[in-house]
Amino acid sequence: MSLEGKVVLITGASMGIGKAAALAFDRAGARVALAARRENVLKEVAAGMKDPLVIKTDLADGAQARGMVERTVSYYGRIDILINNAAASIVSGSESVRREYLTRAL
């Protein structure tokens, strides 16, 4: 399957698997929208890419999630592939995790 010209939206694109995926899709000729909470880190990832779209997004906020999709479609005209890679980690014993933290992580 050729990825040339495909539009890819990647959440959690600032580091780890999301960053690696963004760079790989870019090298394969895709047009990549990068989404994560830390805009400065996204800009570092985007610096070496061909035509990236950087979208500061906190997916825990439904309005920001919708805005991320709308900005991608507005910029590129469509979304062909969605990589939903965003995650939140809880590093604590289960007895001390508050419900709102668990809900946010999920």
Side-chain angles (χ1 to χ4, degrees):
M1 175 177 151
S2 173
L3 296 172
E4 189 70 39
K6 297 288 185 188
V7 175
V8 183
L9 169 56
I10 303 174
T11 68
S14 61
M15 57 190 289
I17 293 169
K19 176 181 176 180
L23 296 172
F25 275 104
D26 181 70
R27 281 191 305 273
R31 302 167 75 198
V32 183
L34 308 155
R37 291 176 292 182
R38 296 181 301 161
E39 185 176 32
N40 60 324
V41 180
L42 285 176
K43 287 180 178 180
E44 291 174 11
V45 174
M49 297 172 68
K50 294 177 195 84
D51 182 28
L53 173 62
V54 170
I55 309 169
K56 182 183 184 306
T57 307
D58 184 345
L59 292 175
D61 179 336
Q64 287 189 44
R66 286 186 295 279
M68 170 190 70
V69 171
E70 291 166 0
R71 283 194 58 204
T72 303
V73 172
S74 177
Y75 189 80
Y76 291 122
R78 67 186 190 282
I79 298 172
D80 298 308
I81 300 167
L82 169 64
I83 308 289
N84 191 16
N85 177 68
S89 298
I90 299 174
V91 183
S92 182
S94 61
E95 69 282 350
S96 64
V97 176
R98 295 187 359 217
R99 179 179 292 272
E100 60 266 23
Y101 295 148
L102 183 60
T103 300
R104 181 177 174 86
L106 296 175

